[in-house]
Amino acid sequence: MAAPTRTAPSTVPAAPPGPPRGGRWIDDWRPEDPRFWESTGRRVARRNLFFSVFSEHVGFSVWSLWSVVVLFLPEPVFGIDPAGKFLLTTLPTALGAFVRLPYTFAVAKFGGRNWTVVSAALLLVPTIATAVVLEPGVSYTTLLVVSCLAGVGGGNFASSMANINAFYPDRLKGWALGLNAGGGNLGVPVVQLVGLLVLATAGVEHPRIVLLVYVPLVVVAAVGAALLMDNLTTARNQPRAMREAAREPHTWIVSFLYIGTFGSFIGFGFAFGQVLQNQFAQDFATPLAAASLTWLGPLLGSLVRPLGGSLADRFGGARITFWNFVAMALGAAVVFAASQVGSLPLFVVGFVLLFVLSGMGNGSTYKMIPAIFRTRARQQVAAGGDPAAAERHALRMSGALIGIAGAVGASGGVLVNLAFRQSFLTTGSGDAAYLVFIAFYAVCVVVTWAVYLRPAARTAGV
């Protein structure tokens, strides 16, 4: 649910194909041509979409690997306190956010198939490194370095979305990218379910089993991409569009809102198990008890992401995002109240609600991006501008903003984990963090209304 979509046929001419190259390169790619799409394009695009989803899914699992690994690090054995564990989940979140921009450019630079092979193979680095060092007596510094390496999995989302965006016609981008994003997000609950299974069967002494499960999956993703995916010579980077988008105020406004949605989703996904163990220690005395609940929120948040986009299609992205942030503030208030009275059922309900709402907000916020620039294009045409030029500019800016928002939004996961770390470090509970979340969501409500819903705003109603 993260790409410019239009109901009318595109009037933008296809980019001229580059020089023919050896290997699995496609020089003639015309997805907007109905005959080409039905005879050739659909089959090729679906094959590439399948392996793109699979690779991104494994990437998300590796990215969130340390949300599971910390459950295998009992403090009496490894000597790591709760604040130290939160830092172990913060570092991969930070690196994942940082590499998203270069991963976005890599697709057009090296080819979608080629970069999927490389980005999938890179996932072997954190999985094998973690398997090698993870044993009692390992230094905390070593664990910090190894956990940070898992951040390469966070970049797979950006390159995967950029790649699939080039394969599909405008009328199907929303469906294809929604499936691609949702399938990738599911990697978070799946790795947590794998961790739960290992804790329930082998016990807390055998975290390497989780890693041994993912090493062959990484190999399958890389080999499958090498054998069955394709590169498009028509895909081209537009660095000028990225620089222009960086000077556009809406880029940073939307990125700020995406911090509140995707940043919350990935941050809570990394931190939820630790929060349960620290906030309700008497109910979650063992890692198995915490792992039995950690997967539920990320699963529901991943599944409802397309719903957020669909509601945005029907009622407007800004309107859905506005009410979504109102509900997220209320959800955080429920979590805070549950923490005050020590109610575990209410606490879990509030947190699951936050996961679901953050998932819906991911879809609705991304759907605002093309609407913002379509509104701009209509205004330019009404002022006498060239329709084709306005449309091309809208598409270029939308694509650039998608890349920037994805990178900035992921940094919200870092802020969530740092907020929890500081809260537990200074107060012994997550209450201070919950109050910060409530305040942040309230600011997002005000910003969304002031910029995109206020009647006098130039972009009202996107």
Side-chain angles (χ1 to χ4, degrees), residues 28 51-52 200 206 344 358:
D28 181 23
F51 280 97
S52 177
H206 300 283
L344 176 60
S358 64

Side-chain angles (χ1 to χ4, degrees), residues 28-80:
D28 181 23
W29 187 253
R30 294 170 282 113
E32 302 297 344
D33 182 339
R35 290 185 179 179
F36 174 86
W37 180 253
E38 293 300 327
S39 64
T40 304
R42 185 191 302 274
R43 173 177 50 83
V44 174
R46 284 186 174 178
R47 171 163 44 81
N48 280 270
L49 175 62
F50 176 83
F51 280 97
S52 177
V53 170
F54 183 71
S55 177
E56 186 192 343
H57 176 92
V58 176
F60 259 93
S61 290
V62 172
W63 190 22
S64 52
L65 179 66
W66 279 80
S67 69
V68 174
V69 171
V70 293
L71 299 178
F72 289 86
L73 304 177
E75 187 172 346
V77 177
F78 286 85
I80 305 173

Side-chain angles (χ1 to χ4, degrees), residues 252-316:
W252 305 110
I253 296 171
V254 172
S255 297
F256 177 79
L257 298 178
Y258 202 54
I259 287 174
T261 56
F262 182 75
S264 294
F265 172 81
I266 198 66
F268 293 153
F270 277 52
F272 189 37
Q274 296 181 75
V275 171
L276 288 175
Q277 281 196 297
N278 289 286
Q279 192 82 39
F280 294 92
Q282 69 279 9
D283 297 292
F284 298 96
T286 65
L288 177 60
S292 65
L293 283 178
T294 54
W295 59 272
L296 179 61
L299 175 64
L300 295 177
S302 300
L303 293 177
V304 302
R305 177 169 181 148
L307 177 61
S310 297
L311 291 173
D313 280 338
R314 182 174 181 182
F315 300 106

